[in-house]
């Protein structure tokens, strides 16, 4: 069976790698010069020419012992490095409050009220909720861990992962939650599936797509599919600029809106559902500073959305990936959310470096001026699994003609780990 995979992001490359390993003749079409989609590690030398780098998308990946992600990196012979246990903070009440490394530390933490803490410790005793109807993310967390948790800790965490407020999201925005609950409680689910650690492959996250490409027979670059045709013999023909190809199966490893464009004339129901999946844009500022303890030795901080609007927080890549900047340089990565989504009080203010630096200094007054700062705009970067997402995905997948399927982080979950695990499950039953 011949398969063409449209989209050489991490979903498409991984699907291709799995299928190739099962003896399927597979080729990938990627619109850009460099495969990997959002997973790219790009060079960013210092002003005096010393090597450095930054991540376009994920800063790392969460890996637990025995997980699909661990198996994948082992099979690809790609060593993973852990930055270790670093401090992290949540910006609340005008100051950065440390997040305890262990749940027991929450008891003494100033992050939550006593009432919230007590309710949180009752989580393992809450009954498992029904799978249907689909719950909202905030409602799910309130049901399991209490309204205080949903209001105090959930918003900055979700802003840091999905750049969206939890009130608009479905519980399916973080598929792990329902998987964990199926073990009786979130506490039990996390315990059973093993604690995850943030890991970075040698060479940065971009090493993952690079290694996959090395192991694949055919990845065509700069080839953006613009049309699909169902042939009378049941096969599929794919059209790109100056190139066509035929296959038994076509996998659309594309963002929902791109897949909708290709499906429009062939599968109206699927295209309509895919078009209804919104995407969030973010702006990022990478900056380099003199190291400043304790922030240079930690993961970074997230700001409670009620105080940031739309500044979401800052990570410390030079702690996560020691090779991204030379020794003695602290590299930061600050996230700015979509003004409309966050009810930006001053939407006209340009979110330039001066604005970002002002926000950074509000939380870390001692931060020195940067030696370098670099802006990055990520348009339609993160699928937003709003309430009703499950129905939209179901409608999209069920409406597909035989021989076509749509695979994407908008289907499997927002992170690279979700894609790795989602693809494993999908491979067990690939046809809709
Ligand atoms: C700023 C940011 C930070 C992130 N941080 C994390 C993190 O810390 N941890 C984590 O796990 N995840 C993180 N993610 C999410 C992670 O990057 C995504 O889940 C993952 O990269 C999605 O991969 P994908 O292949 O589904 O989609 P994409 O990466 O969007 O890939 C789709 C590919 O299809 C190509 N394409 C589009 N149209 C066509 C066409 N018509 N024909 C051929 N090719 C086409 C595109 O060029 C692209 O390469 C982050 C994402 C962003 C944007």
């Amino acid at each position: 069976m011949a398969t063409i995979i449209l989209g050489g992001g991490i979903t498409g490359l991984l699907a291709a790698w799995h299928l190739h390993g099962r003896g399927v003749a597979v080729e990938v079409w990627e619109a850009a010069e460099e495969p990997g989609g959002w997973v790219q590690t790009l060079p960013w030398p210092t002003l005096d020419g010393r090597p450095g780098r930054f991540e376009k998308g994920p800063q790392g990946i969460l890996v637990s012992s025995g997980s699909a992600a661990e198996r994948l990196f082992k099979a690809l012979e790609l060593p993973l490095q852990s930055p270790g246990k670093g401090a992290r903070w949540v910006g609340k009440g005008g100051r950065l409050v440390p997040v305890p490394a262990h749940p027991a530390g929450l008891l003494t933490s100033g992050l939550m009220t006593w009432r919230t803490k007590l309710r949180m410790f009752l989580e393992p005793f809450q009954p498992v909720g029904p799978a249907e109807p689909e719950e909202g993310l905030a409602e799910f967390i309130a049901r399991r861990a209490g309204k205080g948790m949903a209001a105090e800790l959930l918003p900055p965490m979700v802003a840091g992962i999905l750049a969206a407020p939890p009130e608009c999201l479905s519980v399916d925005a973080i598929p792990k939650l329902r998987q964990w609950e199926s073990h009786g409680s979130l506490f039990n689910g996390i315990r059973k599936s093993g604690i995850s650690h943030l890991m970075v492959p040698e060479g940065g996250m971009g090493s993952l797509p690079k290694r996959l490409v090395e192991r694949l027979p055919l990845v065509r670059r700069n080839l953006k599919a613009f049309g699909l045709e169902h042939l009378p013999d049941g096969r599929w023909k794919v059209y790109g600029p100056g190139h066509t190809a035929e296959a038994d199966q076509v996998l659309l490893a594309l963002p929902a809106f791109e897949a909708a464009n290709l499906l429009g004339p062939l599968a109206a129901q699927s295209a309509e559902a895919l078009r209804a999946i919104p995407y969030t844009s973010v702006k990022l500022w990478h900056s380099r500073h003199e190291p400043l303890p304790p922030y240079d030795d930690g993961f970074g901080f997230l700001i409670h959305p009620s105080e940031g609007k739309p500044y979401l927080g800052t990570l410390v890549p030079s702690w996560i990936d020691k090779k991204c900047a030379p020794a003695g340089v602290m590299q930061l990565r600050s996230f700015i959310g979509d003004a409309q989504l966050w009810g930006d009080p001053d939407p006209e203010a340009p979110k330039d470096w001066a604005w970002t630096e002002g926000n950074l200094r509000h939380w870390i007054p001692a931060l020195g001026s940067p030696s370098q700062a670099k802006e990055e705009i990520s348009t339609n970067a993160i699928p937003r699994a709003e309430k009703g997402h499950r129905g939209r995905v179901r409608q999209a997948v069920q409406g597909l003609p035989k021989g076509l399927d749509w695979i994407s982080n908008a289907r499997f979950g927002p992170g690279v780990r979700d894609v790795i695990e989602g693809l494993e499950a999908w491979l067990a039953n690939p046809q809709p």
Side-chain angles (χ1 to χ4, degrees):
M1 177 153 102
T3 297
I4 297 175
I5 298 185
L6 304 181
I10 214 63
T11 305
L13 294 173
L14 260 176
W17 178 76
H18 280 295
L19 293 174
H20 175 59
R22 292 168 182 216
V24 176
V26 62
E27 68 174 76
V28 178
W29 290 26
E30 166 52 43
E33 164 72 32
E34 200 51 53
W38 290 107
V39 184
Q40 311 263 350
T41 306
L42 300 171
W44 189 30
T46 59
L47 290 177
D48 55 5
R50 286 174 292 163
R53 59 196 187 206
F54 73 95
E55 297 289 351
K56 195 171 152 71
Q59 202 62 59
I61 176 167
L62 288 167
V63 182
S64 60
S65 178
S67 63
E70 191 187 60
R71 283 195 296 280
L72 172 73
F73 282 92
K74 210 173 237 175
L76 291 173
E77 298 167 286
L78 199 48
L80 287 167
Q81 285 150 359
S82 159
K85 283 197 180 111
R88 51 191 75 200
W89 296 263
V90 165
K92 234 182 131 208
R95 66 190 186 96
L96 295 178
V97 184
V99 179
H102 300 288
L106 280 172
L107 277 175
T108 52
S109 157
L111 259 184
M112 293 180 277
T113 63
W114 269 106
R115 203 185 158 89
T116 300
K117 289 175 197 171
L118 286 175
R119 175 62 182 80
M120 199 193 78
F121 281 98
L122 295 177
E123 191 281 325
F125 308 104
Q126 306 304 315
V128 174
E132 304 282 349
E134 173 187 349
E135 259 177 312
L137 177 57
E139 287 85 38
F140 175 92
I141 293 297
R143 175 171 63 75
R144 291 237 48 101
K147 284 184 181 157
M149 179 77 162
E152 292 167 35
L153 212 48
L154 182 68
M157 299 299 171
V158 173
I161 303 170
L162 299 165
E167 309 83 65
C168 74
L169 297 173
S170 153
V171 66
D172 288 10
I174 306 181
K176 277 270 167 234
L177 292 174
R178 287 203 322 125
Q179 289 167 20
W180 284 331
E181 194 193 25
S182 69
H183 292 283
S185 69
L186 298 180
F187 179 83
N188 226 6
I190 294 171
R191 198 174 54 81
K192 284 204 171 138
S193 53
I195 302 291
S196 298
H197 299 281
L198 183 71
M199 301 277 197
V200 184
E202 207 170 83
M205 283 300 288
S207 305
L208 175 59
K210 280 202 164 75
R211 181 58 54 90
L212 287 166
V213 170
E214 282 165 17
R215 305 264 170 118
L216 287 172
L218 185 54
V219 178
R220 298 183 191 274
R221 298 159 187 250
N222 298 312
L223 188 56
K224 179 166 182 160
F226 61 72
L228 282 170
E229 183 186 350
H230 206 179
L231 300 172
D233 62 1
R235 285 161 57 83
W236 288 90
K237 187 166 182 177
V238 188
Y239 292 83
H243 187 79
T244 60
E246 292 181 18
D248 306 289
Q249 177 181 235
V250 177
L251 299 177
L252 309 174
L254 302 172
F257 51 91
E258 288 284 357
N261 289 343
L262 284 174
L263 287 171
L266 296 159
Q269 177 195 321
S270 294
E272 186 197 356
L274 289 167
R275 254 188 218 108
I277 298 177
Y279 277 66
T280 303
S281 302
V282 283
K283 185 188 254 200
L284 299 120
W285 276 98
H286 304 269
S287 55
R288 286 183 171 146
H289 309 255
E290 287 273 315
L292 179 66
Y295 309 103
D296 58 344
D297 193 24
F299 176 79
F301 52 89
L302 298 167
I303 304 301
H304 195 286
S306 59
E307 308 204 22
K309 286 191 179 175
Y311 167 60
L312 304 177
T314 294
L315 301 185
V316 188
S318 49
W319 175 79
I320 298 168
D321 169 15
K322 307 291 183 264
K323 295 267 176 64
C324 78
V329 176
M330 178 172 77
Q331 189 161 316
L332 302 181
R333 187 189 197 199
S334 302
F335 289 75
I336 300 158
D338 179 282
Q340 268 194 334
L341 215 53
W342 293 103
D344 184 354
D346 188 6
E348 300 308 318
K351 303 307 183 273
D352 53 11
W353 173 250
W355 183 92
T356 307
E357 193 172 16
N359 273 283
L360 270 166
R361 289 254 167 72
H362 173 77
W363 297 100
I364 330 180
L367 184 73
S369 295
S371 56
Q372 284 171 283
K374 180 188 191 54
E375 181 188 32
E376 212 193 332
I377 294 173
S378 304
T379 307
N380 292 332
I382 303 166
R384 206 161 64 243
E386 291 189 344
K387 288 175 190 170
H389 186 71
R390 195 180 301 163
R392 287 188 276 278
V393 169
R394 206 175 274 153
Q395 184 185 330
V397 172
Q398 285 174 351
L400 289 168
K402 194 166 162 32
L404 286 190
D405 206 345
W406 170 64
I407 51 175
S408 156
N409 65 341
R411 175 171 174 182
F412 298 133
V416 176
R417 173 176 71 168
D418 300 306
V419 169
I420 294 171
E421 293 181 3
L423 271 172
E424 273 204 354
W426 171 84
L427 278 158
N429 183 21
Q431 276 300 319

